Amino acid sequence: MSAIAAGEAAPAVDFTNAVSLALELDFTRAQPTHFGAPLATSERFQVGSFEGEVALGASCNCRRVTLVPHCNGTHTESASHLTIAQRPLHEFLPAGPVSALLLTVHPTDAMTSGEDSLPLPQPGDRLITRAGLLAAWAPHAAIAPRALLLRTGTDWDDSEPPYLSRQLMQELVTRGIEHLVIDLPSVDRLADEGRLTAHRTFFGLPAGSTELAEAARANATISELAHFPGRLRDGPCAVQIQIPAWSGDAVPSRPLYLPLAAT
């Protein structure tokens, strides 16, 4: 998959005013951790007499970092998150900016939303709904972006965060959204019996399938645990998702919000 889809011109963006949507991972302060994962750690690398820390007399600092990308910060994943076969993200994630739309959709009580997921929501659950998405998108009806930046206003340390209804995810597929960036730790309920309904809907992967070849949208990506500064207004923009050239089903990432250049 090329950086620019066939027939699509690169969006004209203002790189000088780019805004990072990644959470800062400071190993010495409070940090995200979900699904029972330990905190990410950074420790000096020691080998022989080398201490890996200038403060201890070493010639340079050298750290060993341990983390779980899905749980310890902003990360990007693909259908490989759910399949036996793996395909590194850097092989197909666009390297350049893609057209995007930033929308704010706040959670609503799942029991009164009229929408659902599988397994069915429980009392106390909160959903990000298709109805909320359509209301937020209405002022931008003429916009048909490749990426959606979805701000829910959820704090990264929320122990029972909201999740996306299956109706919302199907709407994103219908609208041709290829890349979703969201501030939730998961688009699905944290404890969902392993169904991963929202993930599977977005990636076009049938329920129960672990075959990457069966994913109808294997080039789609989801970036979770993003951070949206309050100064960013809803509306059209572009996004560039920066990732390391790592293998694995998810990698730490730095989505960049790019305002459109003045014309």
Side-chain angles (χ1 to χ4, degrees), residues 204-223:
L205 188 66
S209 174
T210 58
E211 298 299 323
L212 183 58
E214 295 182 2
R217 288 163 47 87
N219 288 337
T221 69
I222 298 175
S223 299

Side-chain angles (χ1 to χ4, degrees), residues 12-31:
V13 300
D14 180 4
F15 278 101
T16 62
N17 286 302
V19 178
S20 174
L21 303 181
L23 285 172
E24 179 184 358
L25 181 54
D26 187 328
F27 298 99
T28 66
R29 299 180 182 177
Q31 57 173 267

Side-chain angles (χ1 to χ4, degrees), residues 191-210:
D192 74 340
E193 302 174 3
R195 301 284 191 93
L196 293 156
T197 300
H199 283 85
R200 289 183 176 276
T201 299
F202 192 71
F203 295 135
L205 188 66
S209 174
T210 58

